[in-house]
Amino acid sequence: MKTGSALVLFLSGLFFPWTGHPASLIEEAEREGKVVFYTASSVADANALKAAFERRHPGVKVDYFRAGKDRLLSKFLTEARGGSYLADVYQSSIFPIMTLRHKGLLTPYSSPEREAYRETFKDKEGYWTAAYLNALTIAYNSRLLKPEEVPKVYGDLLLPRWKGRMGLDLNKTEWYVAMLQMMGEEKGKKYMEALSRQEIQAREGNTLLANLLVAGEFPLVVSLYPTSVEELKKRGAPIDWVALEPHFVYPIAVAATAKSPHPAAGRLFIDFVLSREGQLLIRGLSRIPARKDVLPEPPRLIQGQKLLVVHPASSEDYQRFNNEYHSYFR
């Protein structure tokens, strides 16, 4: 290496402590001054990411908009139809992400952090990478059921003893897609028809179902986030979960938007989310990090499990699956 080149690298290190990003990207992001982040995660998650990113990069401010995945998608699509492109980074369930991908509203960005992610947690072309994972498991009231009484396979849910004694979250279309993916559509739909005759108590909302389970409204919920169960357990609630085989997971993906007003800041923000630092922060928010070198807490949320990663679907497929799922349990 020439002396001049070495000096440039040394000075770059002085002014830009190594964070995994080229100094030029940080300079450009600071010229842009801010990043706009659309997210379907909680307000607490968004505030934590905002604060941590701004501490790491004080020259770039974070503005975010937060809504449920369907409302967020509707807002973004409405803005795009009107020629308004406000968001630089979009984070949501893999299904809305795929809708934006198919409509040409995302742009590929192969973050250097992507090397630390399994192939199943990122797309080959660089359009999205998993920021974290949602798992879907059976949860039960530990005062009403002993561990050995909990179903061991999904076929057990069709037994007469569970009729009228199960809750189900209608917001978890991903669970329905996972079941069809595991069984095949024909067999999976026959299973859903049989399950629908079990007098399922269907509601909308993970928090609502978890609270009803703790209250003893029913002893079992077919599809809950185990991370939510773990948080309730820490507070002394009589609740636990079991991972059936395979263990269903789906990505909450992060992506760069097309026609981004702050593209460098957007890429810098994505790099932070996917970095080890960002993933440790996400773990601290009771999420399941997707990065290989950051295990969740507790590790059994993913470690040692035979995973079924829910495949991305087109927007048309997702809407069809959503309608089908609701038709069984409404």
Side-chain angles (χ1 to χ4, degrees):
M1 181 182 292
K2 295 181 180 179
T3 303
S5 299
L7 180 60
V8 169
L9 289 175
F10 175 72
L11 291 176
S12 295
L14 286 178
F15 292 106
F16 297 101
W18 176 246
T19 60
H21 320 291
S24 58
L25 178 62
I26 299 174
E27 289 176 333
E28 183 59 32
E30 290 181 344
R31 278 195 290 270
E32 293 171 351
K34 75 172 183 177
V35 58
V36 179
F37 177 44
Y38 277 21
T39 179
S41 296
S42 69
V43 170
D45 285 15
N47 282 334
L49 279 173
K50 170 183 168 68
F53 178 81
E54 289 180 350
R55 281 195 302 271
R56 170 62 66 185
H57 301 288
V60 185
K61 300 304 177 185
V62 178
D63 289 343
Y64 73 82
F65 177 84
R66 186 270 150 203
K69 62 185 178 184
D70 293 334
R71 182 182 165 214
L72 187 71
L73 180 62
S74 177
K75 172 181 171 61
F76 188 87
L77 292 176
T78 299
E79 290 171 351
R81 282 194 293 270
S84 179
Y85 299 93
L86 305 177
D88 304 299
V89 178
Y90 196 100
Q91 179 178 293
S92 188
S93 166
I94 189 61
F95 296 100
I97 288 287
M98 289 305 296
T99 297
L100 298 182
R101 165 74 178 92
H102 292 150
K103 291 182 179 294
L105 294 172
L106 301 179
T107 192
Y109 173 52
S110 292
S111 167
E113 302 291 348
R114 277 168 51 93
E115 293 182 7
Y117 289 75
R118 302 186 195 190
E119 294 302 316
T120 51
F121 298 156
K122 58 187 177 183
D123 79 321
K124 293 180 180 179
E125 298 169 299
Y127 281 95
W128 60 266
T129 309
Y132 62 89
L133 306 174
N134 275 344
L136 298 168
T137 62
I138 286 178
Y140 65 98
N141 184 305
S142 54
R143 284 187 186 148
L144 301 178
L145 292 178
K146 299 175 182 178
E148 59 268 22
E149 296 175 313
V150 179
K152 302 298 186 293
V153 295
Y154 281 105
D156 291 347
L157 300 179
L158 304 182
L159 296 174
R161 68 179 300 235
W162 297 113
K163 192 166 187 176
R165 302 180 68 210
M166 295 182 286
L168 179 76
D169 188 355
L170 285 172
N171 283 348
K172 292 194 173 71
T173 302
E174 293 88 353
W175 175 82
Y176 175 71
V177 175
M179 293 292 286
L180 297 189
Q181 188 174 320
M182 177 180 69
M183 296 182 173
E185 281 205 37
E186 183 177 353
K187 186 177 179 181
K189 289 178 180 180
K190 288 181 180 178
Y191 175 89
M192 290 297 162
E193 289 172 3
L195 188 64
S196 70
R197 295 192 289 270
Q198 287 287 73
E199 298 177 7
I200 297 280
Q201 299 187 51
R203 305 282 197 279
E204 293 190 3
N206 189 80
T207 300
L208 173 62
L209 266 294
N211 288 337
L212 290 174
L213 180 63
V214 168
E217 186 75 14
F218 27 71
L220 192 75
V221 173
V222 174
S223 56
L224 272 187
Y225 298 141
T227 46
S228 300
V229 175
E230 289 292 336
E231 285 301 297
L232 289 167
K233 282 173 62 180
K234 290 176 185 176
R235 301 174 207 162
I239 190 172
D240 211 336
W241 62 277
V242 295
L244 303 189
E245 189 173 299
H247 189 49
F248 297 160
V249 298
Y250 66 92
I252 302 299
V254 64
T257 63
K259 302 185 180 180
S260 163
H262 314 101
R267 294 194 295 274
L268 192 65
F269 187 82
I270 289 172
D271 287 350
F272 177 78
V273 171
L274 300 180
S275 70
R276 181 173 170 79
E277 179 182 353
Q279 292 288 290
L280 287 169
L281 171 68
I282 284 170
R283 181 176 70 182
L285 297 170
S286 299
R287 304 296 187 186
I288 301 175
R291 191 178 167 106
K292 287 185 288 189
D293 59 355
V294 181
L295 288 176
E297 181 57 46
R300 80 179 184 104
L301 285 164
I302 193 170
Q303 191 176 43
Q305 309 287 359
K306 181 181 178 181
L307 301 182
L308 184 150
V309 182
V310 182
H311 289 165
S314 71
S315 54
E316 292 80 8
D317 283 343
Y318 182 70
Q319 190 58 52
R320 173 172 66 86
F321 289 140
N322 190 59
N323 292 339
E324 288 174 0
Y325 178 46
H326 284 75
S327 71
Y328 288 114
F329 302 106
R330 283 292 191 187

